[in-house]
Amino acid sequence: MPRSEEIRVRAGEITLGATLTLPDGDREGRLPWALLVPSWLPRGRDGSWDRAGHPAWFAPVDGVARPGPLERIADALAARGVASLRYDPRGCAESGGDWAASSLFTRIDDARDAIGAMRSRPELDLRRTAIVGHGEGAVVAISVAIGDPAIGAVGLIAPPARSLRDVLRRGVAERSRTGVDREHPVVAALDRVAEELLERAERREPDVRLDVDGTEVTLNLAGWEQGIHTPGLALATMLHRNVVIAHGTADAWVDPAESRLLAGVLRDAENDPVVVEVDAAGHALAEAADERIDTIAEELASRIVTRELPPVLVAIEQMGRDG
């Protein structure tokens, strides 16, 4: 079984609650590792809805709670000798800050800070680093990887390719048709005001108010406006890494066609992405058999190549060895 360590990570003016998962047993040398970044709306570090920090926003768990997608991927990576870090986004679960007031660019900075914090860990190999993003986290992952030469592999789970404007509208239509996730008050509230949210965001208005189960929530629109103008397609043209894409065919948040479109752009940019489609699985891959999660982890682990480090990271690496 993997070994887990609960830690705190400094991100800007706050701290993030996080879990470092390490492979079981003694292994020689430093470990390859991955940062795991969750999807839209308040979620915990395991990728599930944040019922701890926002209990009134989500319907209660029906029966036994299933592991979230990031927890499943962390365990599958550990079985292949890859460590991982996953964290509660700001304002969620054990992390400081306010989720509703945060922006996309702030969440990108938080991911960068999480990677920076791990560079002092003697167990982790700075030259073999990956980042995995789910939903909005895929945009975060691509953004971080573009600017970080130490990242050798990128995993994208249900990644949006087009503008958030198009992705949100398609998702609202699909959830209206199927009822998927509409039992959660925050999802129902978001879908009700989606068009107003988009219009206000494009006018660069500061916020929009949601009625979440009788409670008024003020949602900062900076992050949504940033998402509209930061489509995955544009970012992918600047990405030159090993990429693994996974997508459930029954995703009610991001149409599976988004992954196929993104894969095409990555190929045009001289990448060779691997695409794993998971039949009948939704956005969180809850319906995916363990074998499919293993496939995603295997593809990612095999693509975490050794990268040349810039001088500052070489110095950090050497200090870790000397210490």
Side-chain angles (χ1 to χ4, degrees), residues 1 5 127 189 239 243 246 266 293:
M1 292 291 292
E5 179 182 342
R127 298 170 186 267
L239 184 67
V243 180
L266 286 167
I293 300 297

Side-chain angles (χ1 to χ4, degrees), residues 127-140:
R127 298 170 186 267
R128 292 185 292 164
T129 300
I131 185 168
V132 179
H134 176 211
E136 181 191 55
V139 176
V140 173

Side-chain angles (χ1 to χ4, degrees), residues 2 12 17-18 57 59-60 77 82 94-95 147 149-150 157 193 200 205 228 258 273 280 288-289 293 298 318:
W57 289 29
L77 286 172
V82 179
E94 296 180 13
S95 291
I157 304 169
V193 303
R200 286 175 175 265
E205 295 187 18
I228 290 171
E258 297 288 305
I293 300 297
E298 184 69 38
Q318 188 60 48

Side-chain angles (χ1 to χ4, degrees), residues 22-323:
L22 300 166
D24 191 20
D26 295 328
R27 297 172 184 263
E28 293 185 5
R30 294 190 175 201
L31 298 165
W33 74 285
L35 179 71
L36 312 181
V37 186
S39 187
W40 288 287
L41 295 182
R43 293 177 184 265
R45 68 191 71 173
D46 297 339
S48 301
W49 302 120
D50 177 35
R51 291 182 171 88
H54 298 81
W57 289 29
F58 302 102
V61 175
D62 184 13
V64 179
R66 292 176 291 185
L70 301 187
E71 179 181 356
R72 297 179 72 190
I73 289 171
D75 289 345
L77 286 172
R80 288 153 181 83
V82 179
S84 64
L85 179 76
R86 58 189 193 272
Y87 59 88
D88 300 321
R90 60 173 55 216
C92 297
E94 296 180 13
S95 291
D98 180 354
W99 177 85
S102 65
S103 71
L104 173 61
F105 291 171
T106 299
R107 292 190 281 274
I108 291 171
D109 286 340
D110 289 347
R112 291 189 178 115
D113 287 342
I115 290 176
M118 291 300 97
R119 284 176 171 151
S120 64
R121 299 287 304 209
E123 315 98 312
L124 305 182
D125 189 346
L126 305 191
R127 298 170 186 267
R128 292 185 292 164
T129 300
I131 185 168
V132 179
H134 176 211
E136 181 191 55
V139 176
V140 173
I142 297 173
S143 300
V144 172
I146 289 169
D148 191 331
I151 294 175
V154 179
L156 307 174
I157 304 169
R162 299 177 178 88
S163 165
L164 178 60
R165 178 198 310 107
D166 303 314
V167 172
L168 181 58
R169 282 173 173 161
R170 283 185 172 214
V172 171
E174 181 66 11
R175 291 187 293 278
S176 177
R177 184 182 71 83
T178 63
V180 170
D181 288 336
R182 283 286 182 88
E183 72 274 18
H184 303 301
V186 69
V187 176
L190 176 66
D191 286 358
R192 281 195 302 270
V193 303
E195 286 302 321
E196 179 187 357
L197 181 153
L198 291 170
E199 290 175 7
R200 286 175 175 265
E202 293 200 79
R203 292 197 298 266
R204 297 192 172 183
E205 295 187 18
D207 54 51
V208 69
R209 289 173 175 77
L210 301 183
D211 178 2
V212 181
D213 199 28
T215 299
E216 186 177 272
V217 175
T218 300
L219 194 64
N220 176 20
L221 289 178
W224 301 85
E225 190 266 337
Q226 290 159 3
I228 290 171
H229 297 292
T230 314
L233 287 176
L235 294 172
T237 63
M238 298 180 280
L239 184 67
H240 302 286
R241 297 292 193 280
N242 294 325
V243 180
V244 177
I245 300 174
H247 213 130
T249 62
D251 193 337
W253 286 84
V254 182
D255 191 287
E258 297 288 305
S259 278
R260 294 190 286 272
L261 182 58
L262 192 62
V265 171
L266 286 167
R267 291 188 188 101
D268 290 343
E270 299 183 353
N271 297 280
D272 185 22
V274 173
V275 180
V276 180
E277 289 197 353
V278 185
D279 290 341
H283 187 64
L285 301 182
E287 301 81 5
D290 290 342
E291 291 79 5
R292 297 304 282 161
I293 300 297
D294 288 342
T295 297
I296 297 167
E298 184 69 38
E299 295 286 1
L300 184 68
S302 68
R303 287 167 173 79
I304 304 178
V305 297
T306 301
R307 301 277 294 182
E308 290 297 323
L309 298 180
V312 65
L313 293 186
V314 172
I316 291 173
E317 181 184 54
Q318 188 60 48
M319 285 189 291
R321 286 174 178 168
D322 294 343

